[in-house]
Amino acid sequence: MSECALLSISQMAEADAAAIASGIPGIALMEAAGRAVAAEAARMAPGDCRIVVLCGPGNNGGDGWVAARLLLEAGYAVEVALFADRRKLLGDAAIMAALWHGDVAELTEPNGRKIGLENCQLIIDAVFGAGLARQLPAHLQDVFENIRTSNVPVLAVDVPSGLNGDTGAVLGSPLQAASTVTFFRAKPGHVLMPGKRLCGRLVVADIGIRPTVLTTIQPRTFVNRPALWQSAYPKLSSDGHKYGRGHAVVVSGPPHATGAARLGARGALRIGAGLVSVASPQASVAINAAHLTAIMVRPFDETHGLQELLADSRLNAFLIGPGGGVGAATRHYVHQLLASDAAAVLDADALTSFSECSERDLLFEAIRARSAPVVLTPHGGEFTRLFGQRTDHSSKLERARFAAQESGAVVILKGADTVIAAPDGRAAINDNAPATLATAGSGDVLAGFVTGLLAHGMRPFEAACAAVWLHGECAAAFGAGLIAEDLPECLPSVLKKLKPVQ
């Protein structure tokens, strides 16, 4: 799991300090970092081209000085543009600057010397690292604008200058990097939007920091990868039985809105639930029965709601919300479910139905009062309706963590950078979702994936992470033209890649 860790700015500083305390000189870490940058630059640019390295006043600039020296030694035509007074550089950055004997353009003033971009094939942005807490200086933004219009590709060191490494937010107008080299472990800002987009290809370089430092740091944020949840993924036994794999139930809406529940049910069945039923109001039974084969239809009386179904302990995971309708009936079904021992996945209308403050408080009380798992799967609009405006100005990671702690549920805050957060503070950021997932019904399939894994007994945080990752892999495997119905059908080929857990 340590390879999945994402480190905040302060945690990365702690890792650097621990490495230095263990006997690795800071200047050796900087040399290794600069060497990694130079290696990526060599991959991006042919050996006879001109490279301009933009250096700032701190250690990020120090990495740039090292890369410039190594590239010059490798035969590149290299020029350094310094956004600082060279005489005022300190520490390891000053030492590395002193080893540079090539051209330097100092750009400390708005009207200072201009960077020549003629015949330049690569820009290395080593001005500011992930810890920048102020807006980019105006004259630097002017330089960046000239670079943008030149269309010269950019290689960023640590992060594109002006990107916050903790939140993925921007301070000014960072350059769009074709590639970014960071060190030891990535940061949340590398995988949260818009940082994910601005970083381009992300290279995480080994610079000699031992992974054992993570034992002390104890990171609670991860990039979503199979290594994070694979050991908890349900395994099939040669003497197993369908009843041992759980029975998932998806609650259908009225006749005109039954498709969403069927999408969720198909997802639950494909991902491994032994049995799946669609709980159907009487008016929707015929249309659901006409579309389903391996998935069963279980009628229920809307007056009594889900009571009879919930009394059967074999039905151990329920999904409510897709196409269910917003209002009192959906709230009633949710409260019936939360009063049971079945795992619960609340999506779509089951979230919006609780947007009133008093109803929301009752929902969270009911979730916190139970021991069985609850997973909430909001997109941005549903999240705001359910959790209000209190978290609008924090990062997506912080918003998801707040929601999980506030509600007592595992929260999947969906999007291009989906965040999965648990009430205990763990969080994972997903980075494999292609743009094709922005299609009607894909969220219903995701909710079904989660429900199927919960029915099979997977722990809720791990089930949510696995479902989100597999959802993205299915979309990537299918490619262009994806519709929601394709996602469950792509799952078998994706699961083959996880053969050790099957």
Side-chain angles (χ1 to χ4, degrees):
M1 189 188 298
S2 69
E3 64 268 31
C4 300
L6 295 172
L7 299 186
S8 67
I9 296 165
S10 61
Q11 288 173 328
M12 188 61 214
E14 188 178 346
D16 283 335
I20 292 169
S22 73
I24 303 174
I27 199 164
L29 294 175
M30 186 172 286
E31 181 75 17
R35 189 172 298 278
V37 174
E40 180 65 7
R43 185 196 69 81
M44 296 175 67
D48 59 350
C49 78
R50 177 170 174 262
I51 297 175
V52 174
V53 183
L54 314 180
C55 290
N59 285 345
N60 197 249
D63 299 339
W65 289 108
V66 174
R69 168 170 48 84
L70 295 174
L71 289 167
L72 187 67
E73 292 172 359
Y76 288 88
V78 183
E79 180 180 353
V80 173
L82 177 62
F83 292 85
D85 186 334
R86 191 171 182 177
R87 297 166 298 179
K88 295 181 180 179
L89 296 178
L90 300 173
D92 294 337
I95 295 172
M96 293 306 188
L99 297 176
W100 171 255
H101 302 296
D103 293 335
V104 178
E106 291 195 17
L107 297 108
T108 55
E109 300 296 335
N111 296 319
R113 181 176 162 188
K114 302 295 183 185
I115 301 174
L117 297 178
E118 300 79 11
N119 302 314
C120 179
Q121 278 75 47
L122 183 66
I123 301 285
I124 297 179
D125 171 12
V127 184
F128 295 116
L132 183 68
R134 57 186 173 84
Q135 290 287 319
L136 291 172
H139 67 285
L140 179 57
Q141 297 208 52
D142 290 342
V143 171
F144 280 6
E145 185 56 36
N146 289 336
I147 292 172
R148 268 188 285 271
T149 58
S150 74
N151 293 318
V152 177
V154 174
L155 166 59
V157 179
D158 192 19
V159 296
S161 294
L163 177 68
N164 185 288
D166 282 344
T167 68
V170 297
L171 297 161
S173 299
L175 294 170
Q176 172 65 59
S179 187
T180 297
V181 178
T182 193
F183 314 108
F184 181 52
R185 293 294 184 272
K187 301 175 181 66
H190 289 124
V191 286
L192 289 169
M193 295 295 282
K196 175 185 174 184
R197 174 179 55 79
L198 289 169
C199 287
R201 164 185 152 94
L202 182 64
V203 177
V204 182
D206 179 2
I207 58 171
I209 300 176
R210 298 184 182 91
T212 51
V213 303
L214 296 174
T215 304
T216 301
I217 294 172
Q218 295 189 326
R220 303 288 281 168
T221 306
F222 307 91
V223 63
N224 190 18
R225 294 280 189 276
L228 187 62
W229 42 263
Q230 192 166 359
S231 64
Y233 199 89
K235 297 176 177 63
L236 302 184
S237 171
S238 59
D239 60 352
H241 195 281
K242 63 186 177 184
Y243 292 108
R245 294 167 62 182
H247 191 149
V249 178
V250 183
V251 180
S252 173
H256 68 277
T258 56
R262 291 195 298 274
L263 285 170
R266 185 72 172 179
L269 188 65
R270 271 292 186 200
I271 209 161
L275 301 97
V276 179
S277 293
V278 169
S280 182
Q282 291 290 345
S284 300
V285 168
I287 189 169
N288 279 322
H291 284 83
L292 298 173
T293 48
I295 295 164
M296 296 170 282
V297 178
R298 289 182 174 251
F300 70 90
D301 181 348
E302 293 171 82
T303 303
H304 298 96
L306 305 176
Q307 269 183 341
E308 186 176 344
L309 296 177
L310 291 167
D312 187 344
S313 61
R314 295 173 299 177
L315 312 182
N316 64 332
F318 279 68
L319 165 60
I320 296 181
V326 175
T330 297
R331 288 196 297 271
H332 178 58
Y333 301 155
V334 168
H335 280 298
Q336 285 184 318
L337 171 57
L338 296 179
S340 76
D341 294 327
V345 179
L346 306 183
D347 182 41
D349 293 343
L351 303 174
T352 301
S353 291
F354 289 90
S355 57
E356 294 295 328
C357 184
S358 59
E359 299 293 350
R360 178 174 63 231
D361 292 343
L362 290 172
L363 173 66
F364 295 166
E365 287 175 16
I367 292 172
R368 290 193 294 265
R370 75 193 320 251
S371 57
V374 179
V375 178
L376 312 180
T377 62
H379 58 54
E382 292 160 349
F383 183 92
T384 300
R385 288 192 287 273
L386 185 60
F387 292 97
Q389 304 295 326
R390 291 168 289 180
T391 59
D392 275 3
H393 299 293
S394 54
S395 74
K396 187 170 185 176
L397 175 61
E398 291 167 333
R399 293 197 302 274
R401 275 204 168 104
F402 165 85
Q405 292 165 0
E406 176 90 345
S407 66
V410 171
V411 173
I412 300 174
L413 179 48
K414 296 182 291 192
D417 53 352
T418 293
V419 178
I420 306 101
D424 63 10
R426 288 177 297 162
I429 305 171
N430 200 66
D431 68 345
N432 75 336
T436 51
L437 274 176
T439 185
S442 67
D444 303 319
V445 176
L446 172 61
F449 282 0
V450 178
T451 309
L453 291 173
L454 291 177
H456 206 169
M458 197 171 184
R459 296 189 300 266
F461 178 71
E462 288 78 4
C465 291
V468 170
W469 187 86
L470 290 167
H471 192 243
E473 288 295 294
C474 287
F478 186 89
L482 177 80
I483 59 174
E485 287 94 327
D486 300 320
L487 292 165
E489 309 322 306
C490 288
L491 192 56
S493 63
V494 171
L495 287 173
K496 285 180 182 178
K497 300 176 183 177
L498 300 176
K499 190 174 180 180
V501 303
Q502 291 295 301

